[in-house]
Amino acid sequence: MSTLIDELPAMFDGVKLAAVATILYIIVRCLNLKSPTAPPEIIYQDTLLSHYLLKTCPMLTKEYIPPLLWGKSGHIQTVLYGKMGRVNTPTPCGVRMFLPMQDGATATFDLFETIGSHTTGDDITMVICPGIGNHSEKNYIRTFVDYSQRQGYRCAVLNHLGALPNVELTSPRMFTYGCTWEFGAMVGYIKRTYPQTLLVVVGFSLGGNIVCKFLGENQSNQDRVLCCVSVCQGYSALRAQETFLQWDQCRRLYNFMLAENMKKIILSHRDSLLAMQCSNIGDGELNRLYAATSLMQIDDSIMRKFHGYDSLREYYEKESCVHYIHKITVPLLLLNSLDDPLVHPSLLAVARTLAEKMPNVIFALTQHGGHMGFFEGAVLFPQPLTWMDKVIVEYTNAVCRWEKKQSICQSSSE
């Protein structure tokens, strides 16, 4: 009996050691600490432009190093982006513009003038489309706009229709997955107001789908456009809906959380949607909205009806950029992260194939970064600017210099 009592402390020590080991194992697995850092995988055609861009954009060929303790977890990167946006967020000063649309809707965007001159000396405007339900007041947008202004870019940021809490709807519809009307109205205004300006098109997440679809819808939409950058989009809504119902990478949980956010946005305009004539939204649709637990259910009960689609499949087919993106002829940079919990790796085949076949496309795939995170930092605390912010501006600067050289060469040869 005394021998057993003597062995109890050693047994307890063994249990504690096993518990600590288990916890450390879970931490290492969850935080993905053993995953090595690496440069992005770059897929491109062997062209003079591609070689120039990769030479003058060192961030695309150097290691992306996230914060050591948590930066290799796509979930933590994504959650930090979703809840915090960025750290030490600046507050750029802009002017809100209101544009009446033909169907009675009122598009809004915020215009931020440049701080300083661009390296080329040209007048260049970034036209920016945020992610789902986002607008110019989101922290990641404010950080990117402030940085771009200081690099010599004027910035115009679309506020998705219905996303701003203090702006009422003036027609019975809101933003959808691929409607380009409001973005097109903003671009048209910029072209008319600044006849000498050149455009850089930037889209984040859902905004990446919208900008690529817009450019591919009509060749004239690419007039005066220097380049386009798309970040963390899924390329095909029809394919993405299947992966959003899967539990791997907690994708079903993210689907639920995004759906809850969309419900809040839609219900904030409940009275307007019900009161307007010609509205396709009634009490029946709103009752189904209350019960919805996924984006697909919301899209089927509400979103597709804003534009009169007969089925969810038709809505996803018609609103995805996958049918238009191959028509883009200006330089196009597609950025994605392999550990993005919202975008299944199978969806990236569209971007990969495009970059393998089209000379104007570069596809950059990082190992880490999550969905719209791409935080950088040493150990624990992230830097205010992300890898994403810096690489977009570095790429656009390189394209601007390339185009400047091309125009000088053409002028001298005439």
Side-chain angles (χ1 to χ4, degrees), residues 75-88:
H75 296 294
I76 295 181
Q77 289 250 21
T78 301
V79 170
L80 284 180
Y81 147 72
K83 293 298 182 182
M84 185 177 66
R86 296 292 182 259
V87 295
N88 299 327

Side-chain angles (χ1 to χ4, degrees), residues 3-301:
T3 303
L4 179 61
I5 294 174
D6 292 339
E7 290 177 354
L8 283 177
M11 291 174 60
F12 286 135
D13 288 342
V15 171
K16 290 178 182 178
L17 184 62
V20 170
T22 301
I23 292 171
L24 289 175
Y25 173 78
I26 293 173
I27 290 173
V28 169
R29 286 294 301 272
C30 291
L31 298 182
N32 206 19
L33 294 177
K34 294 181 69 177
S35 176
T37 58
E41 179 187 3
I42 307 294
I43 295 91
Y44 63 98
Q45 288 274 298
D46 189 12
T47 65
L48 289 175
L49 174 60
S50 295
H51 283 287
Y52 175 83
L53 292 177
L54 293 176
K55 182 180 179 180
T56 53
C57 299
M59 294 191 68
L60 285 175
T61 54
K62 292 182 178 179
E63 282 186 336
Y64 158 54
I65 303 177
L68 179 63
L69 290 183
W70 52 264
K72 295 177 182 178
S73 168
H75 296 294
I76 295 181
Q77 289 250 21
T78 301
V79 170
L80 284 180
Y81 147 72
K83 293 298 182 182
M84 185 177 66
R86 296 292 182 259
V87 295
N88 299 327
T89 306
T91 307
C93 184
V95 178
R96 182 151 296 163
M97 312 298 293
F98 296 83
L99 301 176
M101 308 290 290
Q102 289 184 348
D103 67 342
T106 303
T108 70
F109 71 94
D110 285 20
L111 187 62
F112 303 87
E113 287 297 337
T114 180
I115 303 174
S117 301
H118 193 267
T119 55
T120 62
D122 291 332
D123 183 310
I124 305 173
T125 304
M126 277 193 179
V127 283
I128 302 166
C129 192
I132 183 170
N134 290 175
H135 44 72
S136 62
E137 296 172 11
K138 292 293 182 179
N139 285 353
Y140 77 97
I141 293 292
R142 288 163 53 189
T143 299
F144 178 68
V145 165
D146 179 75
Y147 181 57
S148 300
Q149 284 180 290
R150 296 179 188 280
Q151 300 300 312
Y153 293 94
R154 178 188 300 109
C155 295
V157 183
L158 181 69
N159 300 308
H160 285 300
L161 197 61
L164 284 169
N166 58 342
V167 177
E168 293 293 327
L169 295 177
T170 57
S171 76
R173 70 175 179 89
M174 296 174 57
F175 75 93
T176 58
Y177 178 67
C179 179
T180 59
W181 297 352
E182 292 81 52
F183 187 75
M186 179 180 76
V187 170
Y189 176 90
I190 295 297
K191 286 182 176 180
R192 292 190 303 272
T193 307
Y194 305 96
Q196 302 302 317
T197 197
L198 300 172
L199 303 181
V200 169
V201 180
V202 180
F204 298 104
S205 193
L206 172 140
N209 178 75
I210 289 176
V211 301
C212 288
K213 182 171 178 280
F214 170 75
L215 292 177
E217 282 177 333
N218 195 312
Q219 186 63 37
S220 64
N221 290 346
Q222 300 180 49
D223 292 348
R224 291 163 58 187
V225 172
L226 291 171
C227 64
C228 174
V229 181
S230 164
V231 184
C232 288
Q233 70 150 308
Y235 305 100
S236 172
L238 191 61
R239 300 179 194 176
Q241 66 160 335
E242 301 171 0
T243 68
F244 250 22
L245 295 175
Q246 299 168 358
W247 278 102
D248 67 299
Q249 292 294 310
C250 301
R251 201 168 291 108
R252 184 66 180 84
L253 179 61
Y254 285 107
N255 188 359
F256 174 78
M257 292 189 293
L258 288 169
E260 288 299 302
N261 187 54
M262 275 302 302
K263 284 163 72 170
K264 291 178 183 178
I265 295 175
I266 296 170
L267 291 173
S268 70
H269 298 287
R270 180 182 184 278
D271 294 338
S272 299
L273 292 172
L274 288 175
M276 293 181 189
Q277 294 181 345
C278 303
S279 176
N280 293 326
I281 308 302
D283 288 325
E285 284 76 17
L286 290 177
N287 288 336
R288 286 191 286 275
L289 173 66
Y290 283 115
T293 60
S294 71
L295 286 176
M296 285 69 75
Q297 291 172 331
I298 294 176
D299 289 341
D300 194 26
S301 60

